[in-house]
Amino acid sequence: MSYEAVIGLEVHAELLTQSKVFCGCSSKFGAPPNQNTCPVCLALPGALPVLNRRAVEFGIRAGLATHCTVANYSRWARKNYFYPDLPKGYQISQYELPLCLAGRIDIVTEAGGPKRIRLTRIHMEEDTGKNIHDAHGDSSLVDFNRCGVPLLEIVSEPDIRSAAEAGAYLRKLRTILQYLEICDGNMEEGSFRCDANVSIRRPGATELGTKVEIKNMNSFRNVERAIEFELKRQAQALDEGARLVQETRLWDPDREVTRSMRSKESAHDYRYFPEPDLLPLLVSDEWIEEVRRGLPELPDARRARFARDYALPEYDADVLTMRKDVADYYEEAVRHHKNPKALSNWVMGDILRIIRERKLDNALVIHDWPVPPERLAAMVELIDSGEISGKIAKSVFEEMVNTGKTPVQIVDEQGLKQISDEGPIIAAVEQVIAANPEKVAEYRSGKDKLFGFFVGQAMKATQGKANPQKLNELLRAKLSS
Ligand code: ADP
Ligand code: MG
Ligand code: ZN
């Protein structure tokens, strides 16, 4: 029996504000345990929250960039539950009146087509602290540094139909938040977290099936694998005539299975009620317009512009605009030397490879480029003007990465200039012909395939520096004479 997958994602994004959402404590990741705390975020009696305006601005940015309606009036609520990392015994969150409603994110599916995923809402809330279970023998510890860090919860409609679409959606959402510079998108450090709601149904059915919420996935790959596992598990259960229960399951990345954690709580279990310590959140149209004017060029627009203005394939435009800093790097290189496609190949290939190898892409903004953009441009210029061959360029590039020298310097110092003069090329060709009399005879009696052998040998004789076209011409002439 085949089923249709129905998936909705809830993403928690930690905002890059300097301070927490309801107090002045630093919200920076990585401080010694419990250093970034005060009476407010430790929930000492009588301490009162004060809203961080910048956090709201970031929420508005996210809403506008995802085509939501930003509400002029929204409200804070208490979501009550007991957990050691939640000192107040409740989380301040938005509930029935969130900041942003009804947006959308467009993704590209595996088949290559565009697809629109609707957003239900984006609301603001505070993060919890962190329980640490394995650091201190049998006991658990709690670190309140994260307590009160501002979060956006971005909730999609159940429009996603496969694990791959879920991955595409998450990557796109992360790209948008990174362009807006409101979230660093680091899944390993937990500043971009995803819960996946997964159900299946018979093709053509209009009602939703029983959903399972999966937690504990800290990479895109894990999200995709967890969803794939869960879809199979549910299909098998239904095939066997079992009933699915609504529950929360944890992804176990080592065993690659989901395990039941608890039966799903529902909203009324949390006893939501309006937060009495905070006024309703009023956002004026003027403020919304001001934030809108300050938005950067967003990924979709930039990708379209790259494809159009630089005559790049859609694929290139997509890869180059996935990160804002990479797109900036690329445009800077093209400003120095106008060969957009060649530069795109170098950026997508060698530059991004080194960035990945060195894990530089964990940072929101890469400052430490393996090669500065103007030098990459200068190197491509050397290729285009015939000074060096494409093959030599590979070693020049590696030299630039390793030594920090300019391409011109490297080419001069190592004598890598391409040989276009006929004299030395003819000498190399004659040398190879003289050294291989039998092969020459075979070639002349019709074994055309040997031509490649001669090219290789002659190229070697010039240390790879011969102009390939010239070499081909001269070799063919000599061999047939
Ligand atoms: P909850 O109150 O359990 O969090 P919501 O109705 O708020 O549930 O939905 C949370 C997320 O689950 C949303 O992303 C939504 O699209 C998704 N969702 C809701 N029902 C289903 C379903 N039957 N199958 C898959 N996803 C679902
Ligand atoms: Mg939920
Ligand atoms: Zn504090």
Side-chain angles (χ1 to χ4, degrees):
M1 186 71 208
S2 73
Y3 299 95
E4 181 184 43
V6 176
I7 301 158
L9 299 180
E10 293 167 280
V11 169
H12 285 93
E14 270 180 358
L15 295 178
L16 284 170
T17 51
Q18 300 276 314
S19 52
K20 296 185 179 181
V21 61
F22 299 123
C23 62
C25 291
S26 164
S27 56
K28 211 171 154 69
F29 179 86
N34 296 306
Q35 182 169 289
N36 299 338
T37 56
C38 74
V40 173
C41 55
L42 289 175
L44 302 192
L48 291 171
V50 177
L51 180 59
N52 180 336
R53 184 184 167 93
R54 182 52 69 92
V56 179
E57 183 196 317
F58 284 7
I60 300 172
R61 265 195 229 174
L64 293 176
T66 53
H67 310 279
C68 287
T69 304
V70 178
N72 297 119
Y73 182 98
S74 59
R75 197 161 63 193
W76 303 98
R78 286 190 184 180
K79 180 181 184 182
N80 298 280
Y81 62 96
F82 175 80
Y83 213 59
D85 63 12
L86 187 73
K88 291 197 296 290
Y90 58 85
Q91 181 187 24
I92 302 179
S93 174
Q94 293 189 311
Y95 181 52
E96 69 305 35
L97 296 175
L99 180 64
C100 311
L101 282 165
R104 61 171 195 269
I105 287 178
D106 291 335
I107 60 167
V108 178
T109 63
E110 270 180 312
K115 172 158 180 180
R116 180 156 290 180
I117 310 295
R118 291 167 303 155
L119 297 187
T120 315
R121 58 191 270 153
I122 301 177
H123 71 248
M124 301 189 64
E125 58 187 35
E126 57 177 338
D127 210 345
T128 60
K130 236 190 234 168
N131 293 324
I132 298 154
H133 296 301
D134 48 9
H136 193 69
D138 289 349
S139 49
S140 287
L141 302 173
V142 60
D143 178 1
F144 291 115
N145 280 344
R146 202 179 66 178
C147 216
V149 169
L151 284 181
L152 293 182
E153 179 169 336
I154 302 148
V155 183
S156 86
E157 290 288 307
D159 288 348
I160 297 164
R161 291 289 171 269
S162 67
E165 282 185 23
Y169 168 86
L170 285 176
R171 287 189 178 87
K172 186 64 175 286
L173 174 57
R174 185 171 76 155
T175 293
I176 292 170
L177 299 181
Q178 289 177 332
Y179 265 65
L180 297 172
E181 295 177 356
I182 63 174
C183 172
D184 66 19
N186 190 325
M187 286 188 96
E188 276 171 43
E189 288 180 3
S191 46
F192 185 85
R193 316 194 281 270
C194 166
D195 299 336
N197 297 272
V198 177
S199 68
I200 56 174
R201 63 182 174 190
R202 293 270 149 86
T206 49
E207 282 192 10
L208 294 175
T210 302
K211 75 168 170 151
V212 159
E213 181 168 348
I214 318 171
K215 292 185 178 290
N216 195 40
M217 302 160 294
N218 64 355
S219 68
F220 290 118
R221 193 178 150 74
N222 276 338
V223 173
E224 290 173 358
R225 299 181 81 128
I227 292 173
E228 265 157 23
F229 173 86
E230 187 57 26
L231 290 171
K232 277 205 201 97
R233 188 191 69 82
Q234 293 184 12
Q236 198 175 351
L238 291 192
D239 284 343
E240 287 166 2
R243 270 175 64 100
L244 293 166
V245 283
Q246 182 166 328
E247 61 181 349
T248 301
R249 296 176 73 89
L250 279 187
W251 171 243
D252 180 338
D254 298 325
R255 291 171 46 221
E256 304 201 337
V257 296
T258 63
R259 287 187 278 109
S260 183
M261 179 167 92
R262 56 169 187 244
S263 69
K264 173 70 188 170
E265 70 287 348
S266 22
H268 63 252
D269 295 327
Y270 290 117
R271 294 284 184 265
Y272 278 101
F273 64 87
E275 167 61 58
D277 289 340
L278 287 165
L279 291 165
L281 176 55
L282 303 183
V283 175
S284 67
D285 287 336
E286 291 72 40
W287 192 15
I288 296 171
E289 285 319 306
E290 188 190 319
V291 174
R292 195 194 300 280
R293 281 194 299 275
L295 290 180
E297 184 184 28
L298 291 165
D300 282 339
R302 199 165 197 188
R303 190 189 56 198
R305 181 168 65 78
F306 271 33
R308 190 184 62 233
D309 291 0
Y310 302 124
L312 292 176
E314 282 292 328
Y315 176 80
D316 292 43
D318 195 47
V319 173
L320 293 173
T321 55
M322 204 93 78
R323 288 182 64 108
K324 181 167 180 288
D325 49 2
V326 170
D328 290 343
Y329 176 99
Y330 172 75
E331 293 213 271
E332 181 66 18
V334 173
R335 253 192 298 282
H336 281 88
H337 178 62
K338 205 141 191 64
N339 186 341
K341 181 54 184 152
L343 283 165
S344 166
N345 292 345
W346 282 95
V347 173
M348 292 196 302
D350 298 77
I351 295 284
L352 289 184
R353 170 179 54 80
I354 295 175
I355 298 270
R356 272 194 306 272
E357 282 168 6
R358 296 189 183 171
K359 302 204 187 306
L360 294 172
D361 51 351
N362 283 341
L364 177 61
V365 179
I366 298 166
H367 297 289
D368 225 4
W369 297 101
V371 171
E374 63 277 8
R375 292 200 180 164
L376 185 72
M379 190 194 71
V380 173
E381 200 172 348
L382 290 178
I383 304 172
D384 290 349
S385 63
E387 301 253 324
I388 58 173
S389 66
K391 194 159 168 239
I392 290 287
K394 289 279 174 194
S395 67
V396 172
F397 180 82
E398 288 307 318
E399 258 324 271
M400 283 202 289
V401 173
N402 294 331
T403 65
K405 290 181 178 168
T406 68
V408 171
Q409 219 178 339
I410 293 164
V411 169
D412 282 350
E413 281 176 14
Q414 304 195 1
L416 297 175
K417 240 190 193 162
Q418 178 159 273
I419 303 168
S420 295
D421 288 350
E422 293 199 352
I425 300 181
I426 290 177
V429 165
E430 281 174 347
Q431 182 194 327
V432 170
I433 288 177
N436 298 281
E438 301 100 75
K439 291 247 166 55
V440 173
E442 282 179 59
Y443 176 80
R444 286 184 173 149
S445 67
K447 209 167 167 197
D448 289 345
K449 270 195 282 182
L450 276 173
F451 190 69
F453 163 80
F454 292 112
V455 172
Q457 292 296 306
M459 203 39 125
K460 211 158 139 195
T462 65
Q463 283 108 47
K465 289 185 285 187
N467 177 321
Q469 236 170 317
K470 277 261 160 63
L471 179 80
N472 269 295
E473 267 168 39
L474 291 169
L475 190 58
R476 216 177 277 283
K478 288 277 170 204
L479 279 171
S480 58
S481 65

Short mmCIF file of all heavy atoms in Angstrom, two decimals, residues 234-279:
data_model
loop_
_atom_site.label_atom_id
_atom_site.label_comp_id
_atom_site.label_asym_id
_atom_site.label_seq_id
_atom_site.Cartn_x
_atom_site.Cartn_y
_atom_site.Cartn_z
N GLN A 234 5.39 4.28 10.12
CA GLN A 234 3.94 4.47 10.12
C GLN A 234 3.26 3.63 9.03
O GLN A 234 2.21 3.04 9.27
CB GLN A 234 3.60 5.96 9.94
CG GLN A 234 4.03 6.81 11.14
CD GLN A 234 3.61 8.27 11.01
OE1 GLN A 234 2.82 8.63 10.16
NE2 GLN A 234 4.16 9.13 11.87
N ALA A 235 3.89 3.57 7.86
CA ALA A 235 3.30 2.80 6.76
C ALA A 235 3.21 1.33 7.16
O ALA A 235 2.19 0.67 6.93
CB ALA A 235 4.13 2.96 5.49
N GLN A 236 4.27 0.85 7.77
CA GLN A 236 4.29 -0.55 8.18
C GLN A 236 3.19 -0.83 9.21
O GLN A 236 2.47 -1.82 9.12
CB GLN A 236 5.66 -0.88 8.75
CG GLN A 236 5.95 -2.35 8.79
CD GLN A 236 7.38 -2.61 9.26
OE1 GLN A 236 8.19 -1.66 9.38
NE2 GLN A 236 7.69 -3.84 9.53
N ALA A 237 3.05 0.09 10.16
CA ALA A 237 2.03 -0.07 11.20
C ALA A 237 0.64 -0.14 10.56
O ALA A 237 -0.16 -1.02 10.89
CB ALA A 237 2.11 1.07 12.21
N LEU A 238 0.36 0.80 9.64
CA LEU A 238 -0.97 0.80 9.02
C LEU A 238 -1.18 -0.45 8.18
O LEU A 238 -2.27 -1.03 8.17
CB LEU A 238 -1.16 2.06 8.17
CG LEU A 238 -1.28 3.39 8.93
CD1 LEU A 238 -1.76 4.49 7.99
CD2 LEU A 238 -2.23 3.29 10.13
N ASP A 239 -0.13 -0.88 7.47
CA ASP A 239 -0.25 -2.11 6.66
C ASP A 239 -0.60 -3.30 7.54
O ASP A 239 -1.31 -4.21 7.11
CB ASP A 239 1.07 -2.39 5.93
CG ASP A 239 1.26 -1.47 4.73
OD1 ASP A 239 0.25 -0.86 4.29
OD2 ASP A 239 2.39 -1.37 4.23
N GLU A 240 -0.07 -3.29 8.75
CA GLU A 240 -0.33 -4.41 9.66
C GLU A 240 -1.66 -4.24 10.40
O GLU A 240 -1.99 -5.04 11.28
CB GLU A 240 0.81 -4.53 10.68
CG GLU A 240 2.08 -5.08 10.06
CD GLU A 240 3.30 -4.89 10.95
OE1 GLU A 240 3.14 -4.38 12.08
OE2 GLU A 240 4.40 -5.26 10.51
N GLY A 241 -2.36 -3.18 10.06
CA GLY A 241 -3.67 -2.96 10.67
C GLY A 241 -3.61 -2.35 12.06
O GLY A 241 -4.60 -2.30 12.77
N ALA A 242 -2.44 -1.85 12.45
CA ALA A 242 -2.31 -1.23 13.77
C ALA A 242 -2.83 0.20 13.72
O ALA A 242 -2.98 0.79 12.64
CB ALA A 242 -0.85 -1.23 14.20
N ARG A 243 -3.14 0.74 14.88
CA ARG A 243 -3.55 2.15 14.96
C ARG A 243 -2.36 2.99 15.43
O ARG A 243 -1.61 2.58 16.30
CB ARG A 243 -4.68 2.31 15.97
CG ARG A 243 -6.07 2.17 15.37
CD ARG A 243 -7.10 2.23 16.47
NE ARG A 243 -7.08 3.54 17.14
CZ ARG A 243 -7.95 4.50 16.86
NH1 ARG A 243 -8.89 4.31 15.98
NH2 ARG A 243 -7.89 5.66 17.50
N LEU A 244 -2.21 4.17 14.84
CA LEU A 244 -1.11 5.04 15.28
C LEU A 244 -1.60 5.92 16.42
O LEU A 244 -2.78 6.28 16.45
CB LEU A 244 -0.64 5.92 14.12
CG LEU A 244 0.03 5.17 12.97
CD1 LEU A 244 0.15 6.04 11.75
CD2 LEU A 244 1.40 4.66 13.41
N VAL A 245 -0.71 6.21 17.35
CA VAL A 245 -1.10 7.12 18.43
C VAL A 245 -0.39 8.45 18.26
O VAL A 245 0.75 8.50 17.78
CB VAL A 245 -0.73 6.56 19.83
CG1 VAL A 245 -1.71 5.48 20.22
CG2 VAL A 245 0.69 6.07 19.87
N GLN A 246 -1.07 9.51 18.67
CA GLN A 246 -0.42 10.82 18.63
C GLN A 246 0.56 10.89 19.78
O GLN A 246 0.20 10.71 20.94
CB GLN A 246 -1.48 11.93 18.77
CG GLN A 246 -0.86 13.31 18.68
CD GLN A 246 -1.89 14.40 18.48
OE1 GLN A 246 -2.92 14.18 17.86
NE2 GLN A 246 -1.59 15.57 19.00
N GLU A 247 1.82 11.11 19.44
CA GLU A 247 2.85 11.08 20.49
C GLU A 247 4.06 11.89 20.06
O GLU A 247 4.17 12.33 18.92
CB GLU A 247 3.28 9.62 20.76
CG GLU A 247 3.89 8.97 19.53
CD GLU A 247 4.31 7.52 19.76
OE1 GLU A 247 4.32 7.07 20.91
OE2 GLU A 247 4.65 6.84 18.78
N THR A 248 4.96 12.11 21.02
CA THR A 248 6.24 12.74 20.73
C THR A 248 7.29 11.64 20.70
O THR A 248 7.34 10.81 21.60
CB THR A 248 6.58 13.77 21.82
OG1 THR A 248 5.54 14.74 21.86
CG2 THR A 248 7.89 14.46 21.52
N ARG A 249 8.11 11.63 19.65
CA ARG A 249 9.16 10.62 19.55
C ARG A 249 10.51 11.30 19.42
O ARG A 249 10.61 12.40 18.89
CB ARG A 249 8.91 9.69 18.36
CG ARG A 249 7.63 8.86 18.49
CD ARG A 249 7.36 8.03 17.25
NE ARG A 249 8.26 6.89 17.13
CZ ARG A 249 8.04 5.69 17.64
NH1 ARG A 249 6.93 5.47 18.34
NH2 ARG A 249 8.90 4.71 17.47
N LEU A 250 11.53 10.64 19.94
CA LEU A 250 12.89 11.19 19.88
C LEU A 250 13.68 10.47 18.80
O LEU A 250 13.61 9.25 18.69
CB LEU A 250 13.60 10.94 21.21
CG LEU A 250 13.33 11.87 22.38
CD1 LEU A 250 14.29 11.51 23.51
CD2 LEU A 250 13.51 13.32 21.97
N TRP A 251 14.44 11.23 18.04
CA TRP A 251 15.33 10.63 17.04
C TRP A 251 16.60 10.17 17.75
O TRP A 251 17.21 10.92 18.52
CB TRP A 251 15.66 11.65 15.97
CG TRP A 251 16.72 11.23 15.00
CD1 TRP A 251 17.94 11.83 14.81
CD2 TRP A 251 16.66 10.16 14.04
NE1 TRP A 251 18.63 11.20 13.80
CE2 TRP A 251 17.87 10.16 13.32
CE3 TRP A 251 15.70 9.19 13.73
CZ2 TRP A 251 18.15 9.23 12.31
CZ3 TRP A 251 15.98 8.27 12.72
CH2 TRP A 251 17.19 8.30 12.02
N ASP A 252 16.96 8.93 17.52
CA ASP A 252 18.20 8.39 18.05
C ASP A 252 19.19 8.28 16.89
O ASP A 252 19.10 7.37 16.07
CB ASP A 252 17.92 7.00 18.65
CG ASP A 252 19.18 6.37 19.22
OD1 ASP A 252 20.28 6.77 18.82
OD2 ASP A 252 19.04 5.45 20.06
N PRO A 253 20.13 9.23 16.82
CA PRO A 253 21.00 9.29 15.63
C PRO A 253 21.96 8.10 15.54
O PRO A 253 22.44 7.79 14.46
CB PRO A 253 21.77 10.60 15.80
CG PRO A 253 21.65 10.96 17.23
CD PRO A 253 20.41 10.30 17.77
N ASP A 254 22.25 7.47 16.66
CA ASP A 254 23.18 6.34 16.62
C ASP A 254 22.51 5.09 16.05
O ASP A 254 23.06 4.42 15.20
CB ASP A 254 23.74 6.04 18.02
CG ASP A 254 24.52 7.24 18.55
OD1 ASP A 254 25.18 7.90 17.73
OD2 ASP A 254 24.43 7.51 19.77
N ARG A 255 21.29 4.82 16.55
CA ARG A 255 20.60 3.63 16.07
C ARG A 255 19.73 3.93 14.85
O ARG A 255 19.19 3.03 14.22
CB ARG A 255 19.75 3.02 17.20
CG ARG A 255 20.66 2.42 18.31
CD ARG A 255 19.86 2.00 19.54
NE ARG A 255 18.66 1.25 19.18
CZ ARG A 255 17.48 1.40 19.75
NH1 ARG A 255 17.32 2.28 20.72
NH2 ARG A 255 16.45 0.68 19.37
N GLU A 256 19.62 5.23 14.52
CA GLU A 256 18.82 5.65 13.37
C GLU A 256 17.37 5.17 13.44
O GLU A 256 16.83 4.62 12.49
CB GLU A 256 19.48 5.22 12.06
CG GLU A 256 20.90 5.76 11.96
CD GLU A 256 21.44 5.80 10.54
OE1 GLU A 256 20.93 5.04 9.72
OE2 GLU A 256 22.33 6.61 10.30
N VAL A 257 16.77 5.36 14.62
CA VAL A 257 15.34 5.06 14.79
C VAL A 257 14.72 6.20 15.60
O VAL A 257 15.42 6.98 16.25
CB VAL A 257 15.13 3.75 15.58
CG1 VAL A 257 15.67 2.56 14.79
CG2 VAL A 257 15.78 3.82 16.95
N THR A 258 13.39 6.29 15.57
CA THR A 258 12.69 7.18 16.50
C THR A 258 12.13 6.33 17.63
O THR A 258 11.71 5.19 17.41
CB THR A 258 11.54 7.95 15.79
OG1 THR A 258 10.57 7.00 15.34
CG2 THR A 258 12.05 8.76 14.62
N ARG A 259 12.18 6.89 18.84
CA ARG A 259 11.65 6.17 20.01
C ARG A 259 10.57 7.00 20.67
O ARG A 259 10.69 8.23 20.75
CB ARG A 259 12.77 5.96 21.04
CG ARG A 259 13.79 4.92 20.65
CD ARG A 259 14.75 4.66 21.79
NE ARG A 259 15.83 5.64 21.86
CZ ARG A 259 15.95 6.57 22.80
NH1 ARG A 259 15.04 6.69 23.76
NH2 ARG A 259 16.97 7.40 22.79
N SER A 260 9.57 6.33 21.20
CA SER A 260 8.48 7.06 21.84
C SER A 260 8.99 7.74 23.11
O SER A 260 9.70 7.13 23.91
CB SER A 260 7.35 6.09 22.18
OG SER A 260 6.29 6.82 22.74
N MET A 261 8.66 9.03 23.29
CA MET A 261 9.10 9.74 24.48
C MET A 261 7.94 9.95 25.43
O MET A 261 8.02 9.72 26.61
CB MET A 261 9.69 11.09 24.07
CG MET A 261 10.15 11.93 25.24
SD MET A 261 11.15 13.32 24.73
CE MET A 261 9.93 14.58 24.54
N ARG A 262 6.81 10.43 24.89
CA ARG A 262 5.64 10.65 25.72
C ARG A 262 4.44 10.77 24.80
O ARG A 262 4.59 11.12 23.63
CB ARG A 262 5.80 11.95 26.55
CG ARG A 262 6.08 13.16 25.68
CD ARG A 262 5.98 14.46 26.45
NE ARG A 262 6.10 15.58 25.54
CZ ARG A 262 7.08 16.47 25.56
NH1 ARG A 262 8.04 16.39 26.45
NH2 ARG A 262 7.10 17.46 24.69
N SER A 263 3.27 10.49 25.36
CA SER A 263 2.10 10.73 24.55
C SER A 263 1.94 12.24 24.47
O SER A 263 2.34 12.96 25.38
CB SER A 263 0.86 10.09 25.19
OG SER A 263 0.54 10.79 26.36
N LYS A 264 1.42 12.69 23.35
CA LYS A 264 1.42 14.12 23.06
C LYS A 264 0.52 14.90 24.02
O LYS A 264 -0.64 14.56 24.22
CB LYS A 264 0.95 14.30 21.62
CG LYS A 264 0.73 15.72 21.18
CD LYS A 264 2.02 16.50 21.06
CE LYS A 264 1.72 17.98 20.80
NZ LYS A 264 2.90 18.81 20.90
N GLU A 265 1.10 15.96 24.60
CA GLU A 265 0.28 16.84 25.42
C GLU A 265 -0.50 17.76 24.49
O GLU A 265 -0.10 18.02 23.37
CB GLU A 265 1.16 17.65 26.38
CG GLU A 265 2.03 18.70 25.73
CD GLU A 265 3.23 18.11 24.96
OE1 GLU A 265 3.52 16.91 25.09
OE2 GLU A 265 3.83 18.88 24.20
N SER A 266 -1.61 18.28 24.94
CA SER A 266 -2.30 19.27 24.11
C SER A 266 -2.30 20.61 24.82
O SER A 266 -1.91 20.72 25.98
CB SER A 266 -3.71 18.84 23.74
OG SER A 266 -4.20 17.89 24.64
N ALA A 267 -2.74 21.62 24.05
CA ALA A 267 -2.62 23.00 24.51
C ALA A 267 -3.20 23.18 25.92
O ALA A 267 -2.61 23.86 26.75
CB ALA A 267 -3.29 23.94 23.53
N HIS A 268 -4.35 22.52 26.20
CA HIS A 268 -4.98 22.80 27.49
C HIS A 268 -4.15 22.28 28.66
O HIS A 268 -4.34 22.70 29.79
CB HIS A 268 -6.43 22.28 27.53
CG HIS A 268 -6.55 20.80 27.39
ND1 HIS A 268 -7.02 20.20 26.25
CD2 HIS A 268 -6.23 19.80 28.24
CE1 HIS A 268 -6.99 18.88 26.40
NE2 HIS A 268 -6.51 18.63 27.60
N ASP A 269 -3.23 21.35 28.40
CA ASP A 269 -2.36 20.88 29.48
C ASP A 269 -1.46 21.99 30.01
O ASP A 269 -0.95 21.91 31.11
CB ASP A 269 -1.48 19.73 29.00
CG ASP A 269 -2.30 18.51 28.65
OD1 ASP A 269 -3.33 18.29 29.30
OD2 ASP A 269 -1.91 17.79 27.71
N TYR A 270 -1.21 22.99 29.17
CA TYR A 270 -0.28 24.05 29.56
C TYR A 270 -0.96 25.19 30.32
O TYR A 270 -0.29 26.10 30.77
CB TYR A 270 0.40 24.63 28.32
CG TYR A 270 1.38 23.68 27.67
CD1 TYR A 270 1.17 23.22 26.38
CD2 TYR A 270 2.53 23.27 28.35
CE1 TYR A 270 2.08 22.36 25.77
CE2 TYR A 270 3.45 22.42 27.74
CZ TYR A 270 3.22 21.97 26.45
OH TYR A 270 4.12 21.14 25.87
N ARG A 271 -2.27 25.17 30.41
CA ARG A 271 -2.99 26.23 31.12
C ARG A 271 -2.52 27.61 30.68
O ARG A 271 -2.12 28.44 31.49
CB ARG A 271 -2.79 26.10 32.64
CG ARG A 271 -3.40 24.87 33.24
CD ARG A 271 -4.92 25.01 33.36
NE ARG A 271 -5.49 23.86 34.02
CZ ARG A 271 -6.01 22.80 33.39
NH1 ARG A 271 -6.04 22.76 32.06
NH2 ARG A 271 -6.53 21.79 34.06
N TYR A 272 -2.51 27.80 29.36
CA TYR A 272 -2.11 29.12 28.84
C TYR A 272 -3.02 30.20 29.43
O TYR A 272 -4.23 30.02 29.54
CB TYR A 272 -2.32 29.16 27.33
CG TYR A 272 -1.21 28.54 26.50
CD1 TYR A 272 -1.36 27.27 25.96
CD2 TYR A 272 -0.06 29.27 26.20
CE1 TYR A 272 -0.37 26.72 25.15
CE2 TYR A 272 0.93 28.72 25.40
CZ TYR A 272 0.77 27.45 24.88
OH TYR A 272 1.74 26.91 24.08
N PHE A 273 -2.45 31.32 29.81
CA PHE A 273 -3.28 32.50 30.09
C PHE A 273 -2.44 33.76 29.84
O PHE A 273 -1.22 33.69 29.83
CB PHE A 273 -3.85 32.47 31.53
CG PHE A 273 -2.83 32.53 32.64
CD1 PHE A 273 -2.37 33.76 33.11
CD2 PHE A 273 -2.35 31.35 33.21
CE1 PHE A 273 -1.43 33.81 34.14
CE2 PHE A 273 -1.41 31.41 34.24
CZ PHE A 273 -0.95 32.64 34.71
N PRO A 274 -3.09 34.91 29.61
CA PRO A 274 -2.35 36.12 29.25
C PRO A 274 -1.35 36.49 30.35
O PRO A 274 -1.67 36.41 31.54
CB PRO A 274 -3.43 37.18 29.11
CG PRO A 274 -4.67 36.41 28.78
CD PRO A 274 -4.54 35.11 29.54
N GLU A 275 -0.15 36.88 29.95
CA GLU A 275 0.93 37.22 30.89
C GLU A 275 0.59 38.54 31.60
O GLU A 275 0.52 39.59 30.96
CB GLU A 275 2.24 37.34 30.09
CG GLU A 275 3.40 37.98 30.81
CD GLU A 275 3.82 37.22 32.06
OE1 GLU A 275 4.16 36.04 31.96
OE2 GLU A 275 3.81 37.84 33.15
N PRO A 276 0.38 38.50 32.92
CA PRO A 276 -0.03 39.72 33.62
C PRO A 276 1.11 40.73 33.81
O PRO A 276 0.84 41.89 34.09
CB PRO A 276 -0.52 39.18 34.97
CG PRO A 276 0.14 37.86 35.14
CD PRO A 276 0.40 37.32 33.79
N ASP A 277 2.36 40.30 33.65
CA ASP A 277 3.48 41.21 33.88
C ASP A 277 3.90 41.99 32.63
O ASP A 277 4.83 42.79 32.69
CB ASP A 277 4.69 40.44 34.41
CG ASP A 277 4.49 39.96 35.85
OD1 ASP A 277 3.61 40.55 36.53
OD2 ASP A 277 5.17 39.02 36.27
N LEU A 278 3.27 41.72 31.50
CA LEU A 278 3.64 42.43 30.28
C LEU A 278 2.40 43.00 29.60
O LEU A 278 1.35 42.35 29.54
CB LEU A 278 4.33 41.49 29.29
CG LEU A 278 5.77 41.07 29.63
CD1 LEU A 278 6.17 39.87 28.79
CD2 LEU A 278 6.75 42.22 29.42
N LEU A 279 2.55 44.21 29.05
CA LEU A 279 1.46 44.82 28.28
C LEU A 279 1.35 44.11 26.94
O LEU A 279 2.31 43.49 26.49
CB LEU A 279 1.77 46.30 28.06
CG LEU A 279 1.72 47.16 29.32
CD1 LEU A 279 2.37 48.51 29.07
CD2 LEU A 279 0.27 47.33 29.78
#
